[in-house]
Amino acid sequence: MLPSSSPTLTGLQQSTDVSLSQEPEDDVLLARLGYKGEFQRAFSRMETIAFAFSIMGGCSSVTGTYFFPLIAGVPWTCWYVFGWLIPSVFVLCVAMSLAELVSSMPTSGGIYYFAAKLAPERYSALVSWITGWANVTGQIALLASIDYQSAQMLAVGIQVGSDGKINPGPAWIYGMLVAVLLSHALVCSSATRVIARLTFFYAGIYVGMSLALSIALFVVAGPNRVSAGDAFLLFENNTGWTNNGWAFLLSFTSAMWDLTGFDVAVHISEEVANAAESTPVAIVQGVGATVILGLLLSIAMSFATRSVSDILASGSPLPAGQLYLEVFGKKGMLAVWSILFSIQWMNGVTQGIDASRVTFAFARDNGLPAARWLKKVNRYTQTPINAVWFVVLISAIIGLLSFSSTALSSMAGATVAALYFSYAIPIFFRITTGRSKFKPGPFSLGRFAIAIGVIAVVWSLFVAILLMFPSTEKIRTVNDMNYTVVIVAAVFILSGLSWIISARKWFIGPVPNIRLSDARSESPSEKGEKGEKVAIT
């Protein structure tokens, strides 16, 4: 079935008759993709850009993942800067490829929907099933990881505020994780308009804080900052790997965790006005802004880091806290930390929305247990509240891994690996067997689509494999292991077995829930051609 063709709905149960001539343009396009509009389209273009930008966390995410380049020996060297810059270039390729897909097919199902429509018809349902489970699992696990980092930030704040007299242990951190998750469940259950305004407001704080922190680290460090020669040329390998090149590659972990989740704009596309144009622009601009601000902060942190060994010896759950304490003093650090925590908290809100929307969409297509309950939309808020609370519950269960630092770090790696693997699948079919099916929307990569798509697929698979390696070359104890490969393999094995045993008998991929009447012949791609093109040609 072509992405732009009208679905065949004869005989479908529980479908709804809709006259397209009476519907807004966005819902007309959505109807041609097979779904009725159930959400408020409260996100403007600027709010959608702010939302896509907010989910990557900016300065709070760079702060939280400062640990990864530290152990890779790259916090105060050129490798820290390039350990951010190099992955960013390839991530932009992934973002542009997904932006082109959502411009053609703006639906909350997003990644698994694209895969289903572009894969060979014989394998469409299976591809959709595996992609959907990888994406849903990754999105929920990402929420758990983000909120665990929020709990760690609270723990560091308590530790510094009490002058080291109070050091929250794993049980306290888990309790704070649950509290943060509950606060997100309440906020994410709000109406779309509330979420749109809140994220737009916080986007300004993100930008302002990122710039202010970058400048402050450089200026306040003053004579204590390292020289430009050390900041850009000195290398110190603190990993257990003897090969410096491999240690450098491991530093990509920080950037990859920070630059994950930008497909949130895809999953809220049914809540965006003029989605075919606004959503792809939001993805590309959101990633681009995060790359620039993250690079500035990375450079500033490189200059401010005087001693890697001293920071690692501090024992802080988040080493960046020790860096800020050394530079700004106790009061300054706590002031900065409070703002960063609020940004991290907002990051969790956007991820909660992301995970709940893809959960709702996959349930709408009968891809999850309790689908009838998960796909309900609350009539007052017009949001999938059941899906929100389900996502929070599963995240709290995943959070139990916080009692084992090794297990939790493996989960973080598995999250990125699963998401990027799910990104690679529809992009792969877009540039191979699905080329004849794909009809571009307003945002088109033009003649560069194939080249950018190849880069995106290769990079996604490379990163997924890279994150499965342990941080040390010689495995001596269970704590030296990286269980990412076990977690990722478990997701694909379980989804594959469930397909063989049961799902292949009833899961058919995206299921239209609307019956069209008075349908116009104009396709989404034709609509895009008549509108303003946002093309890279």
Side-chain angles (χ1 to χ4, degrees):
M1 184 189 302
L2 298 181
S4 57
S5 62
S6 298
T8 302
L9 299 168
T10 306
L12 282 176
Q13 296 180 348
Q14 297 180 339
S15 58
T16 304
D17 284 312
V18 171
S19 175
L20 293 186
S21 61
Q22 301 173 0
E23 293 295 305
E25 286 296 307
D26 280 310
D27 288 338
V28 170
L29 195 158
L30 182 62
R32 292 193 177 281
L33 297 176
Y35 304 111
K36 62 180 179 180
E38 299 181 79
F39 300 112
Q40 294 178 344
R41 291 194 178 270
F43 279 93
S44 66
R45 174 175 291 194
M46 290 302 298
E47 288 167 340
T48 308
I49 293 172
F51 200 88
F53 171 63
S54 297
I55 199 168
M56 285 171 279
C59 50
S60 66
S61 293
V62 173
T63 294
T65 57
Y66 178 61
F67 172 78
F68 292 111
L70 267 182
I71 62 172
V74 289
W76 47 312
T77 69
C78 64
W79 299 113
Y80 187 25
V81 175
F82 289 110
W84 173 270
L85 189 58
I86 291 175
S88 298
V89 173
F90 293 106
V91 169
L92 277 169
C93 291
V94 180
M96 287 190 290
S97 294
L98 291 184
E100 184 184 47
L101 291 173
V102 74
S103 183
S104 174
M105 299 170 276
T107 172
S108 295
I111 310 301
Y112 77 84
Y113 184 95
F114 307 153
K117 297 304 177 183
L118 297 175
E121 186 174 352
R122 180 181 178 183
Y123 305 106
S124 176
L126 173 60
V127 169
S128 179
W129 175 261
I130 293 176
T131 307
W133 271 98
N135 195 252
V136 170
T137 302
Q139 296 291 0
I140 296 176
L142 183 57
L143 175 61
S145 298
I146 289 172
D147 282 7
Y148 177 71
Q149 195 173 96
S150 294
Q152 285 183 309
M153 293 184 78
L154 284 174
V156 171
I158 293 172
Q159 187 181 57
V160 173
S162 66
D163 295 319
K165 296 176 183 177
I166 302 175
N167 294 292
W172 279 99
I173 292 178
Y174 179 73
M176 289 186 283
L177 164 64
V178 172
V180 172
L181 282 169
L182 288 175
S183 70
H184 286 153
L186 294 172
V187 175
C188 292
S189 297
S190 304
T192 300
R193 187 174 299 277
V194 174
I195 301 298
R197 302 300 181 271
L198 184 61
T199 52
F200 184 73
F201 170 75
Y202 255 92
I205 297 178
Y206 278 35
V207 175
M209 185 59 183
S210 296
L211 292 174
L213 185 57
S214 299
I215 295 171
L217 280 170
F218 188 81
V219 173
V220 177
N224 292 323
R225 61 176 176 260
V226 301
S227 67
D230 283 350
F232 290 104
L233 297 177
L234 190 61
F235 180 80
E236 179 180 337
N237 186 350
N238 293 304
T239 70
W241 292 89
T242 55
N243 187 292
N244 287 341
W246 187 252
F248 167 56
L249 292 179
L250 291 177
S251 72
F252 290 175
T253 303
S254 175
M256 293 312 303
W257 196 88
D258 295 341
L259 297 173
T260 296
F262 49 81
D263 57 320
V264 63
V266 175
H267 301 308
I268 64 166
S269 59
E270 294 181 29
E271 301 166 71
V272 175
N274 195 16
E277 294 183 10
S278 298
T279 303
V281 170
I283 293 174
V284 176
Q285 291 190 0
V287 173
T290 303
V291 167
I292 294 171
L293 293 174
L295 179 61
L296 292 176
L297 184 54
S298 296
I299 293 173
M301 294 178 80
S302 295
F303 273 98
T305 305
R306 289 179 296 171
S307 173
V308 177
S309 56
D310 287 349
I311 290 178
L312 288 175
S314 69
S316 175
L318 294 175
Q322 180 64 29
L323 172 63
Y324 296 157
L325 182 61
E326 291 179 359
V327 175
F328 301 123
K330 178 181 175 180
K331 291 184 179 180
M333 178 271 179
L334 290 175
V336 168
W337 208 248
S338 298
I339 299 173
L340 289 174
F341 171 77
S342 72
I343 292 174
Q344 182 69 13
W345 180 85
M346 192 62 211
N347 186 11
V349 171
T350 52
Q351 182 55 38
I353 296 294
D354 190 0
S356 64
R357 296 314 188 255
V358 72
T359 297
F360 156 82
F362 203 37
R364 182 175 59 183
D365 290 322
N366 301 318
L368 293 173
R372 184 182 296 273
W373 181 73
L374 289 173
K375 66 183 178 182
K376 284 186 177 180
V377 176
N378 185 275
R379 61 178 179 174
Y380 297 108
T381 64
Q382 290 185 266
T383 54
I385 291 179
N386 292 350
V388 168
W389 285 88
F390 171 79
V391 163
V392 167
L393 174 61
I394 300 301
S395 294
I397 294 173
I398 293 174
L400 290 170
L401 292 174
S402 63
F403 287 93
S404 168
S405 59
T406 301
L408 191 72
S409 61
S410 297
M411 176 56 70
T415 296
V416 177
L419 286 175
Y420 272 86
F421 189 88
S422 72
Y423 299 162
I425 295 174
I427 298 173
F428 172 77
F429 287 115
R430 156 70 180 95
I431 61 177
T432 55
T433 59
R435 290 175 63 181
S436 61
K437 297 181 179 183
F438 182 73
K439 304 297 180 183
F443 182 95
S444 173
L445 297 178
R447 64 178 181 272
F448 297 107
I450 304 302
I452 292 174
V454 169
I455 294 172
V457 171
V458 172
W459 175 256
S460 296
L461 296 179
F462 167 74
V463 165
I465 295 172
L466 175 68
L467 294 176
M468 294 179 187
F469 280 84
S471 59
T472 181
E473 191 170 359
K474 297 179 180 180
I475 308 299
R476 295 184 176 88
T477 67
V478 293
N479 292 327
D480 294 328
M481 284 291 294
N482 183 348
Y483 297 97
T484 296
V485 64
V486 177
I487 298 170
V488 172
V491 172
F492 287 104
I493 290 173
L494 290 175
S495 62
L497 287 176
S498 62
W499 172 262
I500 295 172
I501 296 172
S502 175
R504 64 186 176 85
K505 302 174 183 177
W506 46 265
F507 183 76
I508 60 174
V511 180
N513 67 355
I514 193 170
R515 181 178 289 117
L516 309 182
S517 59
D518 192 25
R520 301 182 304 183
S521 60
E522 183 181 6
S523 70
S525 58
E526 290 168 341
K527 174 182 178 292
E529 290 168 2
K530 291 182 179 180
E532 181 182 356
K533 283 278 188 179
V534 184
I536 300 177
T537 56

